[in-house]
Amino acid sequence: MATPDLVTMDKIVSLSKRRGFIFRSSEIYGGIGSSYDYGHYGVLLKNNVKAEWWRSLLRERDDVVALDSAIIQHPRTWEASGHIAGFTDPLVDCRTCKLRYRADKLEDGQCGEKPSKRPGEGPNCDLTEARNFNLMFQTTVGPVQDEGSTVFLRPETAQGIFLNFKHYLQFARKKPPFGIAQVGKSFRNEITPGNFVFRMREFEQMEMEFFVPPAEADKWYDFWKQARFDWYVKLGIRPDHLRLRPHDADELSHYSSATSDVEYLYPIGWQELEGIANRGDFDLSQHAEYSRQNLEYVDTASGERYLPYVIEPAAGADRATLAFLCDAYDEDEIEGETRTVLRLHPALAPVKAAVLPLVKKDGQPEVAREIVAALRERLQVEYDEGGAIGRRYRRQDEIGTPWSITVDHQSLDDRTVTVRDRDSLQQDRVAIDALPDELERRLRAPWRSPKGS
Ligand code: GAP
């Protein structure tokens, strides 16, 4: 049983807006369905999520290389990948209220006339037969809009990796098993978007295609399932809020022989955070056929040649950011007042340390600025001199800053400051000159959510 949580999606949406993490896009025009903009702290948080993902693949391993491919790719890509034929959702329209629903998710919809009823259950509901709707966004390239100029915004970053596979065999001199990783925007014309950044039409993926000799595919599938699960735990997600769920045969994508999802217990229930799939040689053989290029790996020593199988851990940067936010959200009571606090892993926290002069005079701001300058070389820090110290602490707690450094009268006499810990509220006196090393030590220490699991 997972520990009960106070967090709701409404609380996350409201904190995100209040503290500048995530806003509804185009709000001055009334917003646009399922598009969100990341504000200052949201950018810092999501950047940290992506940086930790890159670190786990590029810095901590030597068998993964990086790629940043184009969003608009040759249209044949999507014929070969199966997206033109198969990347569809079944849709129904209501002839009465003119709303459109996912035929396979009617239980999640609301009747346009009677929102307490499901589509089809209202007295005047008149649903059409289901028909397939392709989720790819189409646009055209060049000055003439004809059939030949139609292109698609990529619905997954993965295909860019397969299109470049040959380059990597040549320039990176890699031999399977090895992976190519990429982070970037993907686009899907989702029919039932919603739940904040959980399902959007424009979102960021963190995908890695790991190319292996076919006989090793099962071994690597198991390896990446566990490695990706462990990544979330290492970054502080409570293990009882995470699970690995294998797909049933009827859930598998057209390319996959086995898939497991890492699921997180969001306030809306258990939902997919990341999928790990065994894509076999589906993609490379399709692109070999459509491009008429040989995409086999040839072992120059043994002469062996084969199309590698692919194990793909495919994560969403927005869904991960949302999971970290939900898992971190907490409320407690300090001096009779409710405090909202984001208990984020320090590595993910948008700001690592806030430097706060107790008063805006007596030389304290100058010392505080000196500390900011020294820390800034190593960490994301913030200076704040406005308002009562208690309110400044609360502001930092709400954005998840793990340490608040207060410059007080004593600091001018003995060059020490207090370091307040966001979670334990303990205050330690630390020498100003020792601060950068001390904070880096704390940042690298293993961390577990004080919310317990
Ligand atoms: N290349 C395989 C692939 O794209 P997917 O399960 O469709 O697999 C991978 O997507 C991840 O991308 C999902 O686990 C999720 O985290 C994220 N994702 C997919 N659709 C999304 C959407 N509409 N909004 C936000 N994130 C999404």
Side-chain angles (χ1 to χ4, degrees):
M1 265 297 274
T3 31
D5 255 330
L6 318 140
V7 62
T8 62
M9 204 59 111
D10 284 346
K11 287 182 180 179
I12 293 293
V13 172
S14 131
L15 172 76
S16 295
K17 183 169 178 187
R18 189 168 70 247
R19 287 295 175 214
F21 280 87
I22 304 172
F23 314 107
R24 220 150 66 104
S25 179
S26 322
E27 203 164 70
I28 61 167
Y29 289 107
I32 174 161
S34 184
S35 282
Y36 289 90
D37 298 339
Y38 281 74
H40 178 67
Y41 295 121
V43 171
L44 292 174
L45 172 61
K46 187 152 70 137
N47 276 351
N48 290 340
V49 171
K50 291 184 283 186
E52 288 300 323
W53 186 84
W54 279 122
R55 176 209 298 279
S56 71
L57 297 177
L58 293 189
R59 202 183 298 172
E60 291 173 7
R61 305 182 62 89
D62 52 18
D63 55 2
V64 179
V65 284
L67 171 72
D68 184 2
S69 73
I71 284 171
I72 295 175
Q73 290 157 186
H74 195 288
R76 293 273 282 167
T77 306
W78 310 110
E79 286 175 45
S81 69
H83 282 83
I84 292 199
F87 196 55
T88 55
D89 275 344
L91 275 192
V92 294
D93 289 300
C94 178
R95 295 187 187 92
T96 311
C97 65
K98 311 289 180 223
L99 289 180
R100 184 164 274 189
Y101 306 98
R102 280 264 302 261
D104 56 339
K105 295 252 158 89
L106 285 180
E107 67 282 7
D108 298 337
Q110 282 182 333
C111 164
E113 283 192 342
K114 286 211 172 298
S116 60
K117 304 252 180 230
R118 300 282 159 252
E121 289 177 349
N124 300 320
C125 290
D126 183 8
L127 302 186
T128 60
E129 288 293 305
R131 66 204 159 76
N132 281 333
F133 170 81
N134 197 294
L135 299 183
M136 283 194 295
F137 282 101
Q138 267 186 42
T139 186
T140 50
V141 286
V144 183
Q145 292 191 8
D146 61 16
E147 220 177 274
S149 62
T150 302
V151 291
F152 302 90
L153 303 188
R154 67 179 176 200
E156 61 173 13
T157 57
Q159 295 304 321
I161 296 178
F162 300 124
L163 301 192
N164 283 286
F165 175 67
K166 215 174 166 173
H167 289 142
Y168 280 76
L169 287 183
Q170 285 156 3
F171 96 86
R173 300 192 357 262
K174 288 287 179 202
K175 173 183 164 111
F178 78 95
I180 306 177
Q182 121 155 290
V183 173
K185 283 240 165 148
S186 291
F187 304 81
R188 297 181 189 178
N189 198 358
E190 300 277 5
I191 310 310
T192 47
N195 285 319
F196 200 37
V197 296
F198 180 80
R199 180 167 285 110
M200 296 188 287
R201 296 203 167 97
E202 179 183 336
F203 54 95
E204 245 181 316
Q205 290 188 306
M206 308 185 289
E207 298 198 290
M208 197 262 292
E209 309 302 316
F210 200 72
F211 300 91
V212 301
E216 294 180 21
D218 290 345
K219 179 183 96 181
W220 283 107
Y221 175 60
D222 289 341
F223 172 86
W224 282 110
K225 275 192 307 192
Q226 195 57 46
R228 293 304 306 146
F229 185 93
D230 293 347
W231 183 81
Y232 293 101
V233 174
K234 190 174 161 202
L235 287 172
I237 299 250
R238 291 161 297 162
D240 65 357
H241 278 61
L242 278 178
R243 70 180 185 195
L244 268 169
R245 188 186 66 80
H247 279 205
D248 292 333
D250 60 352
E251 281 179 89
L252 292 175
S253 310
H254 58 278
Y255 51 73
S256 166
S257 61
T259 297
S260 286
D261 287 343
V262 180
E263 293 189 333
Y264 176 69
L265 185 53
Y266 290 95
I268 50 171
W270 286 104
Q271 297 286 344
E272 174 186 344
L273 180 52
E274 165 161 358
I276 297 98
N278 179 351
R279 295 180 79 122
D281 64 1
F282 175 83
D283 303 273
L284 288 181
S285 63
Q286 286 291 105
H287 289 301
E289 183 187 331
Y290 278 70
S291 66
R292 300 212 178 101
Q293 302 264 331
N294 185 351
L295 299 180
E296 284 175 320
Y297 165 73
V298 183
D299 189 317
T300 43
S302 68
E304 188 193 10
R305 54 171 63 226
Y306 59 87
L307 274 182
Y309 275 25
V310 171
I311 307 303
E312 174 197 66
D318 308 279
R319 274 192 203 176
T321 302
L322 180 61
F324 286 120
L325 275 174
C326 293
D327 215 67
Y329 185 94
D330 205 4
E331 292 167 10
D332 59 9
E333 217 182 275
I334 300 185
E335 292 155 14
E337 262 186 48
T338 303
R339 161 177 91 134
T340 301
V341 51
L342 282 186
R343 304 191 191 279
L344 285 166
H345 189 298
L348 297 180
V351 175
K352 309 301 182 213
V355 186
L356 317 169
L358 194 58
V359 291
K360 241 194 280 182
K361 53 182 187 181
D362 302 338
Q364 290 183 20
E366 289 74 12
V367 174
R369 292 267 185 213
E370 177 203 329
I371 294 171
V372 168
L375 291 180
R376 186 162 273 161
E377 289 181 15
R378 302 211 216 162
L379 306 162
Q380 187 74 35
V381 288
E382 200 169 271
Y383 174 79
D384 185 6
E385 59 175 26
I389 191 73
R391 288 193 48 197
R392 281 182 275 162
Y393 285 150
R394 297 296 174 279
R395 195 150 58 212
Q396 295 299 331
D397 291 339
E398 276 206 321
I399 61 165
T401 305
W403 303 293
S404 290
I405 295 157
T406 309
V407 176
D408 55 18
H409 311 288
Q410 192 182 329
S411 309
L412 284 107
D413 295 337
D414 65 3
R415 286 190 61 79
T416 64
V417 286
T418 60
V419 178
R420 169 188 178 271
D421 184 279
R422 172 197 72 199
D423 297 324
S424 67
L425 299 176
Q426 189 176 315
Q427 305 219 13
D428 299 322
R429 202 101 211 156
V430 176
I432 289 174
D433 296 337
L435 266 178
D437 284 346
E438 170 60 14
L439 292 189
E440 279 215 82
R441 186 192 64 75
R442 292 185 185 205
L443 194 55
R444 285 175 205 285
W447 187 89
R448 277 191 63 188
S449 171
K451 286 170 78 179
S453 70

